[in-house]
Amino acid sequence: MIGRRRLLAGALGLAAPALLAREALASAPRHLSLLNLHTGEKLAATYFEGGRYVPDALAALDRVLRDHRTGDVHPMAPGLLDLVAGLAGQVGRPDAVQVISGYRSPASNAALRANSSGVATRSLHMRGMAMDIRIPGVSLARLRDTAVALGRGGVGYYPGSDFVHVDVGKVRQW
């Protein structure tokens, strides 16, 4: 019986540092640097700190990611911000995300859909759950492959338009 207890105590002792490291990583500050290519606005913000999202930083990100056609601002999904920040960090460029499209109002989505077959009727852009991005110095193929490997949502590859679509909907790719 003593042998089992020692084994269990030893196993728990080995697991504890890994659990603490995972918890520390989950509560580590999260930072995102964006350049909206349509408005020219730049923003570098720490949007998660002290184990919680920072409301003022989220509001500033929502503003930069607004519909550039209408000016409509909509809350962006924090998970999407986490995805984009993680993606930028994975490719070694956490300070250089260029945004082609963030939030898209229903009116803008309908107008784009009328001129393109590649725009979804119920686009996740209209729910603040999608972004079309590129990162200078990172090939679109590498950006796409890294996003797919993260397995945290949808990934669309648009080399002709020079962007990768990422969203926090179902895991899928096109």
Side-chain angles (χ1 to χ4, degrees), residues 13 19 26 41 59 63 65 74 77 80 121 124 137 148 150-151 155 159 164 174:
L19 291 173
E41 292 170 284
R63 176 133 180 82
L65 293 167
H74 186 276
L80 176 63
T121 304
L124 291 177
V148 168
L150 288 174
V155 179
V164 172
W174 62 94

Side-chain angles (χ1 to χ4, degrees), residues 1 5 7-8 12 17 20 24 39-40 60-61 63 90 92 99 106-107 138 162 167 169 173:
M1 207 45 124
R5 286 185 186 154
L7 179 63
L8 222 88
L12 288 173
L20 289 174
T39 66
L61 287 162
R63 176 133 180 82
Q90 285 285 315
V99 179
V138 178
D162 195 25
D167 68 52
Q173 67 182 57

Side-chain angles (χ1 to χ4, degrees), residues 43-84:
L43 177 66
T46 300
Y47 67 91
F48 184 90
E49 197 167 41
R52 58 179 51 124
Y53 290 98
V54 179
D56 289 346
L58 292 178
L61 287 162
D62 293 344
R63 176 133 180 82
V64 169
L65 293 167
R66 72 188 177 279
D67 184 329
H68 69 272
R69 293 169 190 84
T70 66
D72 293 349
V73 177
H74 186 276
M76 299 303 287
L80 176 63
L81 303 175
D82 293 340
L83 169 61
V84 173

Side-chain angles (χ1 to χ4, degrees), residues 104-114 119-123 125-126:
R104 196 182 297 152
S105 69
S108 286
N109 199 72
L112 287 172
R113 187 161 166 67
V119 177
T121 304
R122 293 187 310 254
S123 171
H125 285 278
M126 295 187 299

